[in-house]
Amino acid sequence: MNRSGSMIAALCWLLVALGCGEVPMQFRDVENLPKPTDPAEFDLGTFDITIPQDKTNSTIMLDFHAYVIMPKYQLEQFEAEFALKQRRVRNGIILKIREFTRTQLNEPELESVRGAIATGVGDAIAEPKIDAVGFHHFRFLEE
């Protein structure tokens, strides 16, 4: 290696050793930035559903606030579809839940209710698919 090449190599090594070769701050936490595949929530709204119980001559009242989870990159497409089909989605969810028995509504993890919501959404909005259903609150009363 010639003298100028050695000088350049020594200068580069010196700059790195002194901290001039560090990664700029805005690029250090790139792996911690949100990714398009990270989960995102979409709010379906609140539901107040009454289910008459003929055998016991009572009425079950459900009050819940539901949301669906999907990858962040699909959220915009889902929002557009939901804006067009909101009434159909909500009606599908309500009709499916009204078919439930008291036992299904008392499940600890609400699998049947989550499934009904997922089906109601999926029947109206085929794409994009949702990953999960969650609740901000869920109240079940029988009178």
Side-chain angles (χ1 to χ4, degrees):
M1 188 184 303
N2 61 17
R3 183 172 164 85
S4 63
S6 298
M7 290 290 278
I8 291 174
L11 182 62
C12 288
W13 181 85
L14 184 61
L15 290 173
V16 170
L18 292 174
C20 295
E22 288 185 24
V23 177
M25 187 63 101
Q26 68 265 29
F27 299 116
R28 285 187 186 172
D29 290 331
V30 171
E31 62 274 353
N32 295 331
L33 292 174
K35 297 169 187 60
T37 55
D38 286 348
E41 292 181 6
F42 180 81
D43 189 4
L44 295 175
T46 59
F47 292 81
D48 294 313
I49 303 172
T50 56
I51 306 168
Q53 300 293 296
D54 295 332
K55 292 180 182 178
T56 60
N57 199 23
S58 63
T59 301
I60 294 175
M61 292 175 281
L62 293 177
D63 170 30
F64 60 89
H65 191 155
Y67 61 90
V68 292
I69 299 172
M70 68 191 65
K72 187 178 284 187
Y73 74 92
Q74 293 178 332
L75 193 59
E76 189 174 321
Q77 179 187 355
F78 187 86
E79 288 173 342
E81 286 289 317
F82 187 80
L84 296 173
K85 301 175 181 177
Q86 179 177 359
R87 291 179 190 219
R88 185 173 166 207
V89 169
R90 291 181 61 82
N91 189 49
I93 291 169
I94 292 168
L95 290 176
K96 295 213 178 300
I97 290 177
R98 281 196 175 144
E99 297 173 358
F100 287 163
T101 63
R102 187 177 195 280
T103 307
Q104 288 172 305
L105 295 170
N106 278 332
E107 293 172 343
E109 297 296 320
L110 301 169
E111 292 96 6
S112 296
V113 176
R114 290 176 197 271
I117 292 171
T119 302
V121 170
D123 287 349
I125 302 174
E127 290 293 326
K129 300 222 182 280
I130 61 170
D131 293 337
V133 175
F135 300 100
H136 290 294
H137 80 269
F138 189 92
R139 186 173 59 179
F140 168 78
L141 298 170
E142 185 171 9
E143 293 184 345

